[in-house]
Amino acid sequence: MSRWVWCLPLLLVLLVRAQENRVTFLPGTFQNVNVSQNETVQAVVSGIPPGVAFVTLQFHTQHRNATLSYTRIPAAGLSLTAVDVGLLSALQPSQITLSLFLSTPDGDTVTGTGVILPYSSTDPVPGACNIEFNLDVDPNVYIHYNLYETTIRFAPANLGSERGRPPPVCDESTGSDTRWRLQYDIYQHFLPENDPSESSLFNGLKAVAEQGRTANSRRI
């Protein structure tokens, strides 16, 4: 009697998952971060005081792009890629921690420095009246320059609000109790002459963020 033996093909599935690390940020403290190839770094913000209504996470590199995202997998409208990136997060009542994600869009190792800047409900919310850029709230300043001129673009700010409360409407009116009362000043900070190093750049960022814009910069 003949016997047939069926040999089913063996299917091997290889799942490649990016390695993930965690880096903890404290509000107002700079943290150097190294993002390796095919790695996602979870930026965890902890110890947020109750008086903070929203925070921005900034991440700066010298040359290479980095992606900062609200989600583990970057998506349009929820992430930004540049050498200088920032995302704003409004806080809910009783919230004391949050997470954002850093990755390398070009597959190269990226070294940079990041900082969490806290804001109260009475502070303006940068980029909260955005209608031009991809993020719903875009706190970034976009700079383009050549030998002759420098162009600065940014989304208008909105007035602050308490945790859990809806923000003021941006363009319902132009009264003195709306975001139209806000004025914008531009300050220029010079790095040490003939020192294009990464450390010089990072020290300049820290000086402006930690010691105040007016103390270390010139109003233009």
Side-chain angles (χ1 to χ4, degrees):
M1 180 177 180
S2 300
R3 176 178 295 177
W4 293 91
V5 179
W6 292 90
C7 295
L8 299 177
L10 178 63
L11 179 63
L12 295 179
V13 179
L14 178 63
L15 297 178
V16 179
R17 183 176 181 180
Q19 180 183 2
E20 182 173 295
N21 289 329
R22 290 167 58 97
V23 176
T24 300
F25 286 84
L26 297 177
T29 302
F30 275 83
Q31 175 74 43
N32 292 336
V33 180
N34 184 76
V35 186
S36 301
Q37 183 180 9
N38 297 324
E39 178 187 45
T40 298
V41 174
Q42 182 181 8
V44 180
V45 187
S46 62
I48 303 175
V52 175
F54 62 96
V55 299
T56 60
L57 172 56
Q58 301 178 16
F59 188 70
H60 304 276
T61 73
Q62 188 175 28
H63 299 298
R64 298 187 182 280
N65 285 337
T67 297
L68 182 59
S69 176
Y70 289 110
T71 55
R72 183 172 279 102
I73 299 176
L78 297 174
S79 64
L80 189 66
T81 298
V83 294
D84 299 287
V85 291
L87 292 180
L88 185 144
S89 297
L91 301 173
Q92 298 301 315
S94 303
Q95 184 178 359
I96 61 173
T97 183
L98 63 88
S99 292
L100 297 172
F101 300 89
L102 280 165
S103 58
T104 59
D106 302 322
D108 299 321
T109 297
V110 174
T111 300
T113 188
V115 64
I116 290 289
L117 297 181
Y119 298 85
S120 71
S121 60
T122 59
D123 293 323
V125 186
C129 289
N130 173 45
I131 59 172
E132 181 177 0
F133 306 106
N134 292 332
L135 298 171
D136 286 340
V137 177
D138 193 336
N140 296 276
V141 176
Y142 298 89
I143 300 177
H144 301 275
Y145 59 90
N146 54 36
L147 292 175
Y148 308 104
E149 65 178 5
T150 298
T151 302
I152 300 174
R153 299 168 60 222
F154 58 90
N158 198 4
L159 302 180
S161 58
E162 298 285 346
R163 291 194 186 195
R165 294 187 178 180
V169 178
C170 285
D171 293 318
E172 190 173 74
S173 68
T174 58
S176 60
D177 59 341
T178 69
R179 65 103 173 173
W180 290 95
R181 79 181 191 206
L182 299 175
Q183 297 181 353
Y184 301 86
D185 291 329
I186 299 172
Y187 286 83
Q188 184 180 56
H189 177 81
F190 286 98
L191 299 178
E193 192 172 1
N194 297 323
D195 184 4
S197 65
E198 183 182 80
S199 61
S200 175
L201 172 63
F202 291 172
N203 288 336
L205 293 169
K206 293 177 182 179
V208 172
E210 293 177 349
Q211 301 173 24
R213 288 98 176 137
T214 59
N216 296 279
S217 306
R218 181 172 64 92
R219 183 174 178 269
I220 58 175

